[in-house]
Amino acid sequence: MEKNIVVIKGDGVGPEVVDKAIDVLNRVAEKYSHKFNLEYVDMGGVSIDKHGIPLTDENLDKCKKCDSILLGSVGGPKWDKVAPENRPESGLLKLRKELNLYANIRPTKILKSLEYASPLKETICKDMIDFIMVRELTGGVYFGEHKFETINGVRQATDLMRYTETEIRRIGKVAFEIARKIKKPLTSVDKANVLHTSKLWREVMNDMAKEYSDVQYNDMYVDNASMQIASNPSQFGVIVTENMFGDILSDEASVISGSIGMAPSASLSDGTFGMYEPIHGSAPDIAGHDLANPIGTILSLAMMFRYSFNMNEEAEDVEKAVYKAIEDSYRTHDIMPKHNMMTYLYKEVKCSEMGDIIVSNI
């Protein structure tokens, strides 16, 4: 099989973790006789430095013509003083909007061998924790009108949150289909006791639940959901929610797995097109020191195989290679035990070394 992939290394540790994912990609291509054509594109701070803007029209066009995108991470304090509409993150928002990447998929899984790294108590981790967050990605307050005004000498700001029934229904379909496929319950998170957008969200989701009568379904307020993720995460199978709530809850969920460096994500459009990236930031403080954890990026690549290319065997192969590295006691700095009594059990490795170990396991 032949596929065209745009690679955006981004800023900070982005190039380091993406390079290791490309090594994995090449190993999969070799093993399964695939051909992956890679085109490297600048986006984020590196694009600002080269072109004055975070994403050029030429590079956006390249993204529109490929089969999928592999992204590192963008941003950093170097560009904090850039105008808001021209910051590195605005390039990411533009990609999501222009490519109609409305469904963000973030799995959260706590491996038994990494329970010590989770901030959760052992009594909580003893139950299987393995759920998927489905976040609406192109609507809501992030894409609404934003205004600063001064009225009668008093400054005020307004951020408009808007959702249509169509937007809610399409993300709901993604979540219900995933829940049906993996045979797990679906929880819809909103704030319907306060927000009109959430009232509409709940009405639409409840209507859809009738269409998916085989899926166990329930509603939950966002404040309760944030507590439940920390206190009883094993109850969840699939969580679906709007953009801002999903941004916050998915970051919370990533932390309970032991390290944000382990967490992958997929941003999907209609059909098979998607953008795949780790959820961690650019971590400029460790950039260039070979300290980053490449696992989140490598697992994002596995999601690309599964969701965009229908290569389930290849995806499982990559995931097993990652889990074997963990089971064999290899640890990057972020998941290395901090207690002296435990450190002798594990082998701390650099970003590049972890990538090489995973490649050797495929």
Side-chain angles (χ1 to χ4, degrees):
M1 183 178 291
E2 183 172 354
K3 292 293 181 181
N4 299 314
I5 303 172
V6 160
V7 179
I8 302 174
K9 291 188 176 184
D11 309 314
V13 299
E16 299 170 53
V17 295
V18 167
D19 282 346
K20 302 323 294 181
I22 295 302
D23 289 344
V24 172
L25 181 75
N26 290 334
R27 172 64 186 127
V28 169
E30 177 186 30
K31 180 176 180 178
Y32 292 92
S33 300
H34 297 313
K35 183 178 181 181
F36 299 115
N37 304 310
L38 306 182
E39 184 164 17
Y40 291 85
V41 163
D42 290 328
M43 193 271 284
V46 66
S47 178
I48 293 172
D49 291 346
K50 288 184 180 180
H51 309 291
I53 55 175
L55 180 64
T56 66
D57 290 340
E58 179 184 359
N59 283 336
L60 174 61
D61 190 55
K62 291 176 181 178
C63 292
K64 289 180 176 180
K65 293 178 180 178
C66 71
D67 294 311
S68 69
I69 300 170
L70 179 65
L71 170 64
S73 52
V74 298
K78 179 181 178 181
W79 303 281
D80 280 350
K81 295 183 179 179
V82 174
E85 66 275 9
N86 204 37
R87 290 188 61 172
E89 295 80 6
S90 66
L92 183 58
L93 291 177
K94 184 175 182 180
L95 267 183
R96 291 172 179 171
K97 197 69 174 180
E98 291 288 334
L99 301 176
N100 196 31
L101 300 170
Y102 64 86
N104 183 237
I105 315 297
R106 293 189 181 185
T108 294
K109 184 174 185 177
I110 298 184
L111 302 175
K112 286 297 180 183
S113 53
L114 281 177
E115 285 182 358
Y116 68 83
S118 175
L120 300 182
K121 294 179 180 179
E122 291 184 9
T123 53
I124 297 175
C125 290
K126 67 180 178 61
D127 297 320
M128 174 63 72
I129 297 171
D130 186 2
F131 63 90
I132 295 173
M133 184 86 67
V134 180
R135 167 191 171 192
E136 200 290 320
L137 203 59
T138 58
V141 70
Y142 290 178
F143 291 90
E145 181 184 4
H146 308 284
K147 291 194 303 182
F148 276 103
E149 298 176 290
T150 300
I151 300 177
N152 298 325
V154 178
R155 290 183 299 165
Q156 67 179 34
T158 304
D159 299 289
L160 180 64
M161 178 186 285
R162 184 191 302 276
Y163 268 107
T164 67
E165 180 177 0
T166 302
E167 289 174 309
I168 299 169
R169 181 168 285 276
R170 69 178 182 177
I171 192 66
K173 185 176 188 296
V174 172
F176 273 107
E177 291 291 343
I178 291 175
R180 171 180 280 173
K181 183 175 182 179
I182 66 176
K183 296 180 171 58
K184 288 190 175 183
L186 174 63
T187 300
S188 177
V189 172
D190 59 42
K191 193 62 176 171
N193 57 337
V194 176
L195 302 176
H196 278 68
T197 48
S198 282
K199 295 181 195 299
L200 177 61
W201 182 282
R202 183 169 293 207
E203 288 178 8
V204 173
M205 287 295 176
N206 276 265
D207 284 344
M208 295 189 72
K210 299 171 186 175
E211 303 169 22
Y212 290 86
S213 57
D214 55 316
V215 176
Q216 182 183 336
Y217 173 86
N218 72 297
D219 300 298
M220 188 175 290
Y221 291 140
V222 64
D223 42 356
N224 185 29
S226 66
M227 292 186 288
Q228 294 297 323
I229 288 173
S231 62
N232 185 23
S234 62
Q235 70 181 284
F236 296 115
V238 181
I239 299 173
V240 62
T241 191
E242 63 88 45
N243 204 342
M244 182 172 64
F245 297 160
D247 189 1
I248 297 167
L249 293 180
S250 57
D251 280 356
E252 179 192 9
S254 69
V255 170
I256 70 173
S257 65
S259 170
I260 198 169
M262 299 276 294
S265 78
S267 299
L268 307 177
S269 180
D270 292 321
T272 60
F273 185 83
M275 182 167 69
Y276 300 85
E277 59 181 307
I279 74 166
H280 61 70
S282 61
D285 56 321
I286 62 170
H289 297 288
D290 203 15
L291 292 175
N293 189 337
I295 288 178
T297 312
I298 292 170
L299 290 177
S300 297
L301 180 67
M303 294 183 76
M304 179 189 294
F305 290 145
R306 178 171 288 112
Y307 287 101
S308 282
F309 300 159
N310 197 29
M311 298 178 180
N312 291 317
E313 183 179 354
E314 290 87 334
E316 291 179 5
D317 208 353
V318 172
E319 290 165 348
K320 288 177 181 177
V322 168
Y323 300 150
K324 185 177 188 305
I326 297 297
E327 291 299 325
D328 289 344
S329 300
Y330 292 105
R331 301 287 188 271
T332 47
H333 183 72
D334 57 313
I335 53 175
M336 192 68 181
K338 302 303 185 287
H339 305 295
N340 292 335
M341 292 179 62
M342 295 180 63
T343 54
Y344 75 95
L345 296 172
Y346 304 98
K347 293 163 277 191
E348 184 169 353
V349 295
K350 299 288 189 179
C351 171
S352 55
E353 292 172 320
M354 180 62 89
D356 293 342
I357 291 164
I358 293 169
V359 168
S360 70
N361 288 339
I362 299 175

